């Protein structure tokens, strides 16, 4: 059972990702093996974790997963010296109704694993009041232990001294202080951070983050604060949809959960990557083709002109299943209107028409009961996109509900061997 820490915060934008990446890099520089995780449904952060740690980062989700699946995924930390799990949103933020073993809050993972919380606090515009906020986080749940705080965006030595005095009075350890000028900002776009593989100076950024962490964080105290762990339990993941799976992988199609691919490989499946942006067709030896989500709207013109990809995918779908998630689903549709209002012809396996000209956010957990397709058991997933549906004329793929059990209109589509959903598959519904 690997000891670990949860890097969380009172709210999004506090600096969790910067601190997590800095810690991973600084601890690796000390010769430690760090196993990263991400609490909640996210693709961007785990890719940065993987680049920093040299190990795959797995999502842990208390709404979409049961205890056994989470314990099995944490088994990836075997052989690591320490596990670092980056939280999502604020520590206690989740949905209203519980799912597999919680409501999706990072606090659930902290309670389940016994990993203490390192609370990253954006201290801009406050001083002693920051200690009051941390006190509330320490007392909110008795099954969640607060290891200490990292004070971020601190303006001056006087600012730091005022806060340290308040934290000392409450016996809350200050495990690091990041001055405002030491901030390492990651570029963002509408779904979050720019993808790790798109970052022009990723190695330099990780090095700078590690140096900042070594300089401003108490690494010895943070290592000593790590504790807890969870024993592996028997768990059987979703079986692969075929023995050989053609998987779209490039800057337009990269959002697939690592645990899903790892589970398929563990069951004996062979993954055959191909790049639609490079105008590659799926490997004809595959039994199924899977198009993950991503940013097809940023590359719609190139996809519309990728004739070999489009023709190859149509040929594949004549005899074998093709499934798309979110961006992959949109690419399988008839057309996509970009933010400038230009319509681009997509593959046409489905009649779906989508538009980014007038953005509307769709966000939340999804529980699906498939009516057809590669899987027939109830599924758990997550939807996050800004596309507007202009037309969804095909037969629905599933009955889909949100975390409250209310039906949503994004039912997915099916036509022949082609299927697609707006939600990203996490696994079998617990």
């Amino acid at each position: 059972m690997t000891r670990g820490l949860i890097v969380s915060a009172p709210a999004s934008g506090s600096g969790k990702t910067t601190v997590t990446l800095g810690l991973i890099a600084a601890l690796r520089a000390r010769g430690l093996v760090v196993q990263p995780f991400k609490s909640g449904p996210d693709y961007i952060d785990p890719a940065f974790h993987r680049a920093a740690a040299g190990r795959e980062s797995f999502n842990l989700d208390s709404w979409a997963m049961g205890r056994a699946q989470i314990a099995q995924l944490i088994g990836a930390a075997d052989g690591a010296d320490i596990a670092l799990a980056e939280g999502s949103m604020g520590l206690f933020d989740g949905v209203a109704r519980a799912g597999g073993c919680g409501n999706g809050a990072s606090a659930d993972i902290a309670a389940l694993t016994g990993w203490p919380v390192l609370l990253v606090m954006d201290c801009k515009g406050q001083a002693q009041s920051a200690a009051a906020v941390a006190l509330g986080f320490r007392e909110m749940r008795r099954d969640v232990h607060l290891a200490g705080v990292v004070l971020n965006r601190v303006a001056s030595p006087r600012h730091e001294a005022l806060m340290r005095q308040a934290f000392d009075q409450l016996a809350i350890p200050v495990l690091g202080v990041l001055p405002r000028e030491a901030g390492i900002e990651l570029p963002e776009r509408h779904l979050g951070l720019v993808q790790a593989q798109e970052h022009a100076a990723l190695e330099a950024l990780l090095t700078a983050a590690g140096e900042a962490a070594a300089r401003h964080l108490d690494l010895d105290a943070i290592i000593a604060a790590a504790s807890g762990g969870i024993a592996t339990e028997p768990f059987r993941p979703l079986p692969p949809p075929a023995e050989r799976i053609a998987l779209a992988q490039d800057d337009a199609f990269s959002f697939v959960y690592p645990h899903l691919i790892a589970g398929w490989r563990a069951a004996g499946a062979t993954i055959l990557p191909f790049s639609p942006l490079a105008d590659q067709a799926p490997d004809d030896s595959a039994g199924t083709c899977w198009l993950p989500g991503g940013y097809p709207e940023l590359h719609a013109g190139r996809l519309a002109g990728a004739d070999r990809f489009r023709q190859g995918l149509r040929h594949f779908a004549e005899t074998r299943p093709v499934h798309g998630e979110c961006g992959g689903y949109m690419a399988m549709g008839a057309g996509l209107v970009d933010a400038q209002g230009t319509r681009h012809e997509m593959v046409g396996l489905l009649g779906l028409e989508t538009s980014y000209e007038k953005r509307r956010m769709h966000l939340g957990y999804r529980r699906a009961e498939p009516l057809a397709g590669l899987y027939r058991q109830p599924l758990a997933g997550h939807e996050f996109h800004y596309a507007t549906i202009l037309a969804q004329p095909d037969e629905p793929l599933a009955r889909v509900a949100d975390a409250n059990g209310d039906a949503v209109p994004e039912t997915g589509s099916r036509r022949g061997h082609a299927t697609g959903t707006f939600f990203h598959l996490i696994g079998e519904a617990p």
Side-chain angles (χ1 to χ4, degrees), residues 142-170:
R142 293 295 182 178
D143 58 351
V144 175
H145 174 62
L146 181 64
V149 299
V150 170
L151 307 180
N152 192 19
R153 303 188 180 109
V154 177
S156 66
R158 179 177 177 275
H159 187 196
E160 176 183 343
L162 289 171
M163 289 189 289
R164 280 190 179 274
Q165 182 182 39
F167 279 98
D168 288 346
Q169 291 173 351
L170 297 175

PDB file of all heavy atoms in Angstrom, residues 142-170:
ATOM      1  N   ARG A 142     -14.371  14.644   9.342  1.00  0.00           N
ATOM      2  CA  ARG A 142     -13.449  14.017  10.283  1.00  0.00           C
ATOM      3  C   ARG A 142     -12.666  12.866   9.660  1.00  0.00           C
ATOM      4  O   ARG A 142     -11.645  12.441  10.205  1.00  0.00           O
ATOM      5  CB  ARG A 142     -14.217  13.515  11.518  1.00  0.00           C
ATOM      6  CG  ARG A 142     -14.799  14.641  12.361  1.00  0.00           C
ATOM      7  CD  ARG A 142     -13.710  15.495  12.981  1.00  0.00           C
ATOM      8  NE  ARG A 142     -14.247  16.556  13.830  1.00  0.00           N
ATOM      9  CZ  ARG A 142     -13.495  17.409  14.511  1.00  0.00           C
ATOM     10  NH1 ARG A 142     -12.173  17.335  14.414  1.00  0.00           N
ATOM     11  NH2 ARG A 142     -14.056  18.346  15.245  1.00  0.00           N
ATOM     12  N   ASP A 143     -13.146  12.339   8.532  1.00  0.00           N
ATOM     13  CA  ASP A 143     -12.441  11.242   7.881  1.00  0.00           C
ATOM     14  C   ASP A 143     -11.422  11.732   6.855  1.00  0.00           C
ATOM     15  O   ASP A 143     -10.826  10.940   6.138  1.00  0.00           O
ATOM     16  CB  ASP A 143     -13.422  10.269   7.227  1.00  0.00           C
ATOM     17  CG  ASP A 143     -14.323  10.929   6.195  1.00  0.00           C
ATOM     18  OD1 ASP A 143     -14.315  12.180   6.097  1.00  0.00           O
ATOM     19  OD2 ASP A 143     -15.049  10.198   5.488  1.00  0.00           O
ATOM     20  N   VAL A 144     -11.235  13.046   6.771  1.00  0.00           N
ATOM     21  CA  VAL A 144     -10.253  13.633   5.854  1.00  0.00           C
ATOM     22  C   VAL A 144      -9.226  14.387   6.686  1.00  0.00           C
ATOM     23  O   VAL A 144      -9.581  15.275   7.469  1.00  0.00           O
ATOM     24  CB  VAL A 144     -10.935  14.588   4.849  1.00  0.00           C
ATOM     25  CG1 VAL A 144      -9.902  15.291   3.986  1.00  0.00           C
ATOM     26  CG2 VAL A 144     -11.921  13.809   3.975  1.00  0.00           C
ATOM     27  N   HIS A 145      -7.956  14.040   6.531  1.00  0.00           N
ATOM     28  CA  HIS A 145      -6.885  14.648   7.326  1.00  0.00           C
ATOM     29  C   HIS A 145      -6.153  15.716   6.525  1.00  0.00           C
ATOM     30  O   HIS A 145      -5.725  15.456   5.390  1.00  0.00           O
ATOM     31  CB  HIS A 145      -5.888  13.571   7.780  1.00  0.00           C
ATOM     32  CG  HIS A 145      -4.690  14.121   8.482  1.00  0.00           C
ATOM     33  ND1 HIS A 145      -4.776  14.817   9.663  1.00  0.00           N
ATOM     34  CD2 HIS A 145      -3.369  14.097   8.155  1.00  0.00           C
ATOM     35  CE1 HIS A 145      -3.568  15.187  10.047  1.00  0.00           C
ATOM     36  NE2 HIS A 145      -2.694  14.770   9.148  1.00  0.00           N
ATOM     37  N   LEU A 146      -5.993  16.891   7.113  1.00  0.00           N
ATOM     38  CA  LEU A 146      -5.266  17.986   6.481  1.00  0.00           C
ATOM     39  C   LEU A 146      -3.801  17.920   6.899  1.00  0.00           C
ATOM     40  O   LEU A 146      -3.464  18.111   8.073  1.00  0.00           O
ATOM     41  CB  LEU A 146      -5.871  19.333   6.879  1.00  0.00           C
ATOM     42  CG  LEU A 146      -5.228  20.583   6.270  1.00  0.00           C
ATOM     43  CD1 LEU A 146      -5.405  20.591   4.750  1.00  0.00           C
ATOM     44  CD2 LEU A 146      -5.828  21.843   6.892  1.00  0.00           C
ATOM     45  N   ALA A 147      -2.914  17.649   5.931  1.00  0.00           N
ATOM     46  CA  ALA A 147      -1.485  17.568   6.230  1.00  0.00           C
ATOM     47  C   ALA A 147      -0.892  18.952   6.463  1.00  0.00           C
ATOM     48  O   ALA A 147       0.008  19.124   7.302  1.00  0.00           O
ATOM     49  CB  ALA A 147      -0.746  16.879   5.083  1.00  0.00           C
ATOM     50  N   GLY A 148      -1.379  19.931   5.710  1.00  0.00           N
ATOM     51  CA  GLY A 148      -0.859  21.282   5.798  1.00  0.00           C
ATOM     52  C   GLY A 148      -1.246  22.073   4.576  1.00  0.00           C
ATOM     53  O   GLY A 148      -2.013  21.593   3.730  1.00  0.00           O
ATOM     54  N   VAL A 149      -0.703  23.271   4.460  1.00  0.00           N
ATOM     55  CA  VAL A 149      -1.086  24.158   3.366  1.00  0.00           C
ATOM     56  C   VAL A 149       0.147  24.627   2.610  1.00  0.00           C
ATOM     57  O   VAL A 149       1.254  24.691   3.144  1.00  0.00           O
ATOM     58  CB  VAL A 149      -1.876  25.389   3.889  1.00  0.00           C
ATOM     59  CG1 VAL A 149      -3.159  24.955   4.569  1.00  0.00           C
ATOM     60  CG2 VAL A 149      -1.017  26.234   4.820  1.00  0.00           C
ATOM     61  N   VAL A 150      -0.090  24.950   1.327  1.00  0.00           N
ATOM     62  CA  VAL A 150       0.873  25.687   0.516  1.00  0.00           C
ATOM     63  C   VAL A 150       0.229  27.027   0.206  1.00  0.00           C
ATOM     64  O   VAL A 150      -0.869  27.073  -0.366  1.00  0.00           O
ATOM     65  CB  VAL A 150       1.222  24.941  -0.784  1.00  0.00           C
ATOM     66  CG1 VAL A 150       2.041  25.838  -1.710  1.00  0.00           C
ATOM     67  CG2 VAL A 150       1.988  23.666  -0.486  1.00  0.00           C
ATOM     68  N   LEU A 151       0.888  28.100   0.615  1.00  0.00           N
ATOM     69  CA  LEU A 151       0.360  29.441   0.391  1.00  0.00           C
ATOM     70  C   LEU A 151       0.867  29.938  -0.962  1.00  0.00           C
ATOM     71  O   LEU A 151       2.076  30.081  -1.167  1.00  0.00           O
ATOM     72  CB  LEU A 151       0.802  30.380   1.512  1.00  0.00           C
ATOM     73  CG  LEU A 151       0.500  29.900   2.939  1.00  0.00           C
ATOM     74  CD1 LEU A 151       0.983  30.919   3.961  1.00  0.00           C
ATOM     75  CD2 LEU A 151      -0.988  29.613   3.121  1.00  0.00           C
ATOM     76  N   ASN A 152      -0.048  30.201  -1.871  1.00  0.00           N
ATOM     77  CA  ASN A 152       0.314  30.575  -3.243  1.00  0.00           C
ATOM     78  C   ASN A 152       0.011  32.050  -3.485  1.00  0.00           C
ATOM     79  O   ASN A 152      -0.905  32.619  -2.890  1.00  0.00           O
ATOM     80  CB  ASN A 152      -0.472  29.705  -4.234  1.00  0.00           C
ATOM     81  CG  ASN A 152       0.058  29.816  -5.646  1.00  0.00           C
ATOM     82  OD1 ASN A 152       1.182  30.243  -5.873  1.00  0.00           O
ATOM     83  ND2 ASN A 152      -0.746  29.422  -6.615  1.00  0.00           N
ATOM     84  N   ARG A 153       0.799  32.645  -4.389  1.00  0.00           N
ATOM     85  CA  ARG A 153       0.645  34.045  -4.791  1.00  0.00           C
ATOM     86  C   ARG A 153       0.762  34.992  -3.590  1.00  0.00           C
ATOM     87  O   ARG A 153      -0.081  35.874  -3.377  1.00  0.00           O
ATOM     88  CB  ARG A 153      -0.677  34.244  -5.543  1.00  0.00           C
ATOM     89  CG  ARG A 153      -0.776  33.326  -6.771  1.00  0.00           C
ATOM     90  CD  ARG A 153      -1.985  33.642  -7.628  1.00  0.00           C
ATOM     91  NE  ARG A 153      -2.016  32.727  -8.769  1.00  0.00           N
ATOM     92  CZ  ARG A 153      -2.902  31.739  -8.925  1.00  0.00           C
ATOM     93  NH1 ARG A 153      -3.846  31.550  -8.035  1.00  0.00           N
ATOM     94  NH2 ARG A 153      -2.855  30.954  -9.985  1.00  0.00           N
ATOM     95  N   VAL A 154       1.806  34.770  -2.805  1.00  0.00           N
ATOM     96  CA  VAL A 154       2.077  35.602  -1.630  1.00  0.00           C
ATOM     97  C   VAL A 154       2.813  36.861  -2.085  1.00  0.00           C
ATOM     98  O   VAL A 154       3.813  36.792  -2.817  1.00  0.00           O
ATOM     99  CB  VAL A 154       2.894  34.824  -0.592  1.00  0.00           C
ATOM    100  CG1 VAL A 154       3.251  35.708   0.594  1.00  0.00           C
ATOM    101  CG2 VAL A 154       2.089  33.603  -0.123  1.00  0.00           C
ATOM    102  N   ALA A 155       2.360  38.037  -1.633  1.00  0.00           N
ATOM    103  CA  ALA A 155       2.823  39.306  -2.190  1.00  0.00           C
ATOM    104  C   ALA A 155       4.162  39.772  -1.633  1.00  0.00           C
ATOM    105  O   ALA A 155       4.933  40.421  -2.342  1.00  0.00           O
ATOM    106  CB  ALA A 155       1.757  40.373  -1.958  1.00  0.00           C
ATOM    107  N   SER A 156       4.466  39.456  -0.348  1.00  0.00           N
ATOM    108  CA  SER A 156       5.655  40.035   0.273  1.00  0.00           C
ATOM    109  C   SER A 156       6.004  39.258   1.538  1.00  0.00           C
ATOM    110  O   SER A 156       5.188  38.479   2.050  1.00  0.00           O
ATOM    111  CB  SER A 156       5.385  41.497   0.638  1.00  0.00           C
ATOM    112  OG  SER A 156       4.393  41.565   1.646  1.00  0.00           O
ATOM    113  N   PRO A 157       7.209  39.469   2.084  1.00  0.00           N
ATOM    114  CA  PRO A 157       7.552  38.839   3.371  1.00  0.00           C
ATOM    115  C   PRO A 157       6.579  39.219   4.488  1.00  0.00           C
ATOM    116  O   PRO A 157       6.266  38.393   5.352  1.00  0.00           O
ATOM    117  CB  PRO A 157       8.961  39.370   3.644  1.00  0.00           C
ATOM    118  CG  PRO A 157       9.532  39.644   2.288  1.00  0.00           C
ATOM    119  CD  PRO A 157       8.373  40.150   1.480  1.00  0.00           C
ATOM    120  N   ARG A 158       6.104  40.465   4.509  1.00  0.00           N
ATOM    121  CA  ARG A 158       5.135  40.864   5.534  1.00  0.00           C
ATOM    122  C   ARG A 158       3.832  40.089   5.381  1.00  0.00           C
ATOM    123  O   ARG A 158       3.235  39.643   6.372  1.00  0.00           O
ATOM    124  CB  ARG A 158       4.871  42.370   5.434  1.00  0.00           C
ATOM    125  CG  ARG A 158       3.851  42.883   6.454  1.00  0.00           C
ATOM    126  CD  ARG A 158       3.680  44.395   6.350  1.00  0.00           C
ATOM    127  NE  ARG A 158       2.657  44.878   7.266  1.00  0.00           N
ATOM    128  CZ  ARG A 158       1.358  44.900   6.985  1.00  0.00           C
ATOM    129  NH1 ARG A 158       0.934  44.489   5.786  1.00  0.00           N
ATOM    130  NH2 ARG A 158       0.489  45.341   7.875  1.00  0.00           N
ATOM    131  N   HIS A 159       3.382  39.947   4.145  1.00  0.00           N
ATOM    132  CA  HIS A 159       2.174  39.159   3.867  1.00  0.00           C
ATOM    133  C   HIS A 159       2.345  37.740   4.405  1.00  0.00           C
ATOM    134  O   HIS A 159       1.456  37.186   5.078  1.00  0.00           O
ATOM    135  CB  HIS A 159       1.938  39.160   2.353  1.00  0.00           C
ATOM    136  CG  HIS A 159       0.640  38.536   1.928  1.00  0.00           C
ATOM    137  ND1 HIS A 159       0.405  38.156   0.627  1.00  0.00           N
ATOM    138  CD2 HIS A 159      -0.496  38.236   2.611  1.00  0.00           C
ATOM    139  CE1 HIS A 159      -0.813  37.652   0.535  1.00  0.00           C
ATOM    140  NE2 HIS A 159      -1.375  37.689   1.720  1.00  0.00           N
ATOM    141  N   GLU A 160       3.493  37.143   4.118  1.00  0.00           N
ATOM    142  CA  GLU A 160       3.773  35.782   4.589  1.00  0.00           C
ATOM    143  C   GLU A 160       3.778  35.712   6.112  1.00  0.00           C
ATOM    144  O   GLU A 160       3.195  34.788   6.711  1.00  0.00           O
ATOM    145  CB  GLU A 160       5.113  35.307   4.043  1.00  0.00           C
ATOM    146  CG  GLU A 160       5.517  33.939   4.551  1.00  0.00           C
ATOM    147  CD  GLU A 160       6.889  33.510   4.057  1.00  0.00           C
ATOM    148  OE1 GLU A 160       7.401  34.106   3.082  1.00  0.00           O
ATOM    149  OE2 GLU A 160       7.454  32.565   4.652  1.00  0.00           O
ATOM    150  N   ALA A 161       4.429  36.682   6.776  1.00  0.00           N
ATOM    151  CA  ALA A 161       4.533  36.660   8.232  1.00  0.00           C
ATOM    152  C   ALA A 161       3.163  36.735   8.901  1.00  0.00           C
ATOM    153  O   ALA A 161       2.892  36.044   9.891  1.00  0.00           O
ATOM    154  CB  ALA A 161       5.417  37.815   8.701  1.00  0.00           C
ATOM    155  N   LEU A 162       2.290  37.591   8.378  1.00  0.00           N
ATOM    156  CA  LEU A 162       0.945  37.701   8.940  1.00  0.00           C
ATOM    157  C   LEU A 162       0.198  36.379   8.858  1.00  0.00           C
ATOM    158  O   LEU A 162      -0.482  35.959   9.810  1.00  0.00           O
ATOM    159  CB  LEU A 162       0.161  38.799   8.205  1.00  0.00           C
ATOM    160  CG  LEU A 162       0.577  40.247   8.465  1.00  0.00           C
ATOM    161  CD1 LEU A 162      -0.144  41.182   7.503  1.00  0.00           C
ATOM    162  CD2 LEU A 162       0.290  40.635   9.910  1.00  0.00           C
ATOM    163  N   MET A 163       0.318  35.712   7.730  1.00  0.00           N
ATOM    164  CA  MET A 163      -0.393  34.435   7.567  1.00  0.00           C
ATOM    165  C   MET A 163       0.224  33.343   8.419  1.00  0.00           C
ATOM    166  O   MET A 163      -0.492  32.544   9.043  1.00  0.00           O
ATOM    167  CB  MET A 163      -0.417  34.041   6.086  1.00  0.00           C
ATOM    168  CG  MET A 163      -1.328  34.924   5.246  1.00  0.00           C
ATOM    169  SD  MET A 163      -1.552  34.313   3.560  1.00  0.00           S
ATOM    170  CE  MET A 163       0.071  34.639   2.886  1.00  0.00           C
ATOM    171  N   ARG A 164       1.547  33.281   8.454  1.00  0.00           N
ATOM    172  CA  ARG A 164       2.202  32.235   9.257  1.00  0.00           C
ATOM    173  C   ARG A 164       1.789  32.344  10.728  1.00  0.00           C
ATOM    174  O   ARG A 164       1.565  31.321  11.397  1.00  0.00           O
ATOM    175  CB  ARG A 164       3.715  32.343   9.121  1.00  0.00           C
ATOM    176  CG  ARG A 164       4.274  31.724   7.854  1.00  0.00           C
ATOM    177  CD  ARG A 164       5.782  31.651   7.896  1.00  0.00           C
ATOM    178  NE  ARG A 164       6.360  31.036   6.713  1.00  0.00           N
ATOM    179  CZ  ARG A 164       6.522  29.721   6.543  1.00  0.00           C
ATOM    180  NH1 ARG A 164       6.133  28.887   7.500  1.00  0.00           N
ATOM    181  NH2 ARG A 164       7.060  29.247   5.439  1.00  0.00           N
ATOM    182  N   GLN A 165       1.703  33.549  11.244  1.00  0.00           N
ATOM    183  CA  GLN A 165       1.292  33.728  12.639  1.00  0.00           C
ATOM    184  C   GLN A 165      -0.104  33.145  12.868  1.00  0.00           C
ATOM    185  O   GLN A 165      -0.345  32.453  13.876  1.00  0.00           O
ATOM    186  CB  GLN A 165       1.325  35.205  13.004  1.00  0.00           C
ATOM    187  CG  GLN A 165       0.959  35.488  14.466  1.00  0.00           C
ATOM    188  CD  GLN A 165       0.941  36.964  14.783  1.00  0.00           C
ATOM    189  OE1 GLN A 165       0.495  37.785  13.962  1.00  0.00           O
ATOM    190  NE2 GLN A 165       1.414  37.343  15.960  1.00  0.00           N
ATOM    191  N   ALA A 166      -1.016  33.410  11.948  1.00  0.00           N
ATOM    192  CA  ALA A 166      -2.383  32.904  12.097  1.00  0.00           C
ATOM    193  C   ALA A 166      -2.428  31.384  11.983  1.00  0.00           C
ATOM    194  O   ALA A 166      -3.137  30.710  12.750  1.00  0.00           O
ATOM    195  CB  ALA A 166      -3.285  33.547  11.043  1.00  0.00           C
ATOM    196  N   PHE A 167      -1.669  30.820  11.048  1.00  0.00           N
ATOM    197  CA  PHE A 167      -1.656  29.368  10.890  1.00  0.00           C
ATOM    198  C   PHE A 167      -1.002  28.695  12.099  1.00  0.00           C
ATOM    199  O   PHE A 167      -1.445  27.624  12.535  1.00  0.00           O
ATOM    200  CB  PHE A 167      -0.939  28.973   9.594  1.00  0.00           C
ATOM    201  CG  PHE A 167      -1.792  29.088   8.366  1.00  0.00           C
ATOM    202  CD1 PHE A 167      -1.721  30.199   7.549  1.00  0.00           C
ATOM    203  CD2 PHE A 167      -2.700  28.087   8.039  1.00  0.00           C
ATOM    204  CE1 PHE A 167      -2.512  30.312   6.420  1.00  0.00           C
ATOM    205  CE2 PHE A 167      -3.511  28.192   6.917  1.00  0.00           C
ATOM    206  CZ  PHE A 167      -3.417  29.311   6.101  1.00  0.00           C
ATOM    207  N   ASP A 168       0.044  29.315  12.655  1.00  0.00           N
ATOM    208  CA  ASP A 168       0.692  28.745  13.836  1.00  0.00           C
ATOM    209  C   ASP A 168      -0.276  28.677  15.012  1.00  0.00           C
ATOM    210  O   ASP A 168      -0.274  27.695  15.776  1.00  0.00           O
ATOM    211  CB  ASP A 168       1.914  29.592  14.230  1.00  0.00           C
ATOM    212  CG  ASP A 168       3.080  29.427  13.267  1.00  0.00           C
ATOM    213  OD1 ASP A 168       3.049  28.463  12.463  1.00  0.00           O
ATOM    214  OD2 ASP A 168       4.016  30.252  13.311  1.00  0.00           O
ATOM    215  N   GLN A 169      -1.112  29.677  15.160  1.00  0.00           N
ATOM    216  CA  GLN A 169      -2.077  29.680  16.262  1.00  0.00           C
ATOM    217  C   GLN A 169      -3.088  28.553  16.151  1.00  0.00           C
ATOM    218  O   GLN A 169      -3.632  28.088  17.158  1.00  0.00           O
ATOM    219  CB  GLN A 169      -2.799  31.034  16.303  1.00  0.00           C
ATOM    220  CG  GLN A 169      -1.918  32.192  16.734  1.00  0.00           C
ATOM    221  CD  GLN A 169      -2.608  33.529  16.603  1.00  0.00           C
ATOM    222  OE1 GLN A 169      -3.704  33.636  16.033  1.00  0.00           O
ATOM    223  NE2 GLN A 169      -1.997  34.579  17.134  1.00  0.00           N
ATOM    224  N   LEU A 170      -3.338  28.092  14.917  1.00  0.00           N
ATOM    225  CA  LEU A 170      -4.298  27.005  14.691  1.00  0.00           C
ATOM    226  C   LEU A 170      -3.609  25.657  14.547  1.00  0.00           C
ATOM    227  O   LEU A 170      -4.279  24.638  14.320  1.00  0.00           O
ATOM    228  CB  LEU A 170      -5.112  27.298  13.423  1.00  0.00           C
ATOM    229  CG  LEU A 170      -5.984  28.558  13.453  1.00  0.00           C
ATOM    230  CD1 LEU A 170      -6.625  28.793  12.097  1.00  0.00           C
ATOM    231  CD2 LEU A 170      -7.041  28.448  14.547  1.00  0.00           C
TER     232      LEU A 170
END
